Amino acid sequence: MNDDRERWNERYEKRDRELRDDPVGVLERRIETLPDGRALDVATGSGRNALFLAERGYDVDAVDIADEAIETARERADERGLDVDWTRADLAEFDPEPGRYDLIVVSYFAALEYLPDLKEALAAGGVLVSEHHLRSSDPVAGPSTDRYRYRSNDLLRACLDLTVLSYTERQRSTDDGEPVAVATLVARRSSGGTQSYPLVPDDGLEP
């Protein structure tokens, strides 16, 4: 068992709070504007994004390095009668088929080195939704070191070959009231100077 797998298995074994049912906020806010079809949830954890998508009719593949995470997510899916294809794998060993996915979600996983393969796995018109912690000069919650945080514009620069539909860097509060600094991106695999853009409800959370 490699160090990352062991670390994440221990984290899930020792979890001391209830598992979240709600997906990452940007996914929930934009779900009506996203393409239907097959979705991939990267670093699925306890499966909150994968379950949300399966409930809405997506064919969902979900991958995570931790055995404990996959087992927990699978149990939650079984309780709800949901069908998700769960894969326990290090993302470095996961080889998604080019053009396979209409939607890919990466939430709170530092995935810059894997983005080329993930973008290639998007179907034409497919959308990448990604959110992750930022390095910040303010006291914020999240990873204990900057090694696992993005620098300003890292995520944006890595996706400029896609059509960026939305990108923000901001500080917000967690459910526990702790401040976090996050980068949030929604980008589509498309090209051309004239394109169609979905109308997103004005919820006050995005510019």
Side-chain angles (χ1 to χ4, degrees):
M1 184 179 295
N2 66 36
D3 291 342
D4 283 341
R5 181 169 300 140
E6 184 174 0
R7 176 170 59 88
W8 281 106
N9 277 334
E10 289 179 357
R11 177 171 176 175
Y12 279 98
E13 287 173 351
K14 296 177 179 178
R15 64 180 183 269
D16 57 0
R17 63 178 64 183
E18 289 187 11
L19 298 174
R20 297 189 62 164
D21 285 327
D22 57 317
V24 63
V26 63
L27 180 60
E28 187 170 29
R29 293 193 300 272
R30 283 186 167 260
I31 189 63
E32 298 301 326
T33 72
L34 300 175
D36 297 327
R38 179 166 292 278
L40 171 65
D41 185 25
V42 175
T44 191
S46 59
R48 60 181 182 137
N49 294 325
L51 298 176
F52 173 80
L53 292 170
E55 286 175 334
R56 281 150 184 82
Y58 284 86
D59 295 318
V60 183
D61 296 339
V63 61
D64 199 283
I65 193 173
D67 309 83
E68 291 292 331
I70 290 294
E71 184 59 30
T72 297
R74 181 180 285 113
E75 290 174 359
R76 299 178 80 195
D78 290 345
E79 289 171 359
R80 303 182 192 190
L82 297 174
D83 185 17
V84 176
D85 187 359
W86 306 102
T87 299
R88 200 281 303 146
D90 187 328
L91 200 57
E93 303 165 356
F94 182 70
D95 188 21
E97 179 184 337
R100 178 173 175 79
Y101 296 104
D102 302 288
L103 175 63
I104 296 178
V105 181
V106 187
S107 63
Y108 297 99
F109 175 71
L112 291 180
E113 65 186 293
Y114 306 112
L115 282 179
D117 286 341
L118 293 176
K119 290 185 293 184
E120 186 68 20
L122 285 170
V127 172
L128 170 68
V129 175
S130 182
E131 183 166 274
H132 191 58
H133 295 283
L134 285 166
R135 298 181 184 184
S136 176
S137 58
D138 302 312
V140 291
S144 57
T145 72
D146 281 347
R147 175 185 177 188
Y148 300 108
R149 298 175 183 265
Y150 291 159
R151 297 170 299 177
S152 178
N153 289 329
D154 272 352
L155 181 57
L156 176 63
R157 281 192 292 264
C159 295
L160 288 178
D161 53 340
L162 304 177
T163 299
V164 177
L165 301 174
S166 174
Y167 181 76
T168 61
E169 295 186 359
R170 62 191 175 98
Q171 185 179 132
R172 62 172 177 78
S173 295
T174 66
D175 291 344
D176 297 328
E178 294 184 293
V180 290
V182 296
T184 306
L185 174 131
V186 180
R188 184 175 59 210
R189 187 174 183 183
S190 55
S191 61
T194 302
Q195 299 188 37
S196 175
Y197 298 91
L199 179 63
V200 180
D202 182 7
D203 55 13
L205 294 175
E206 294 185 339

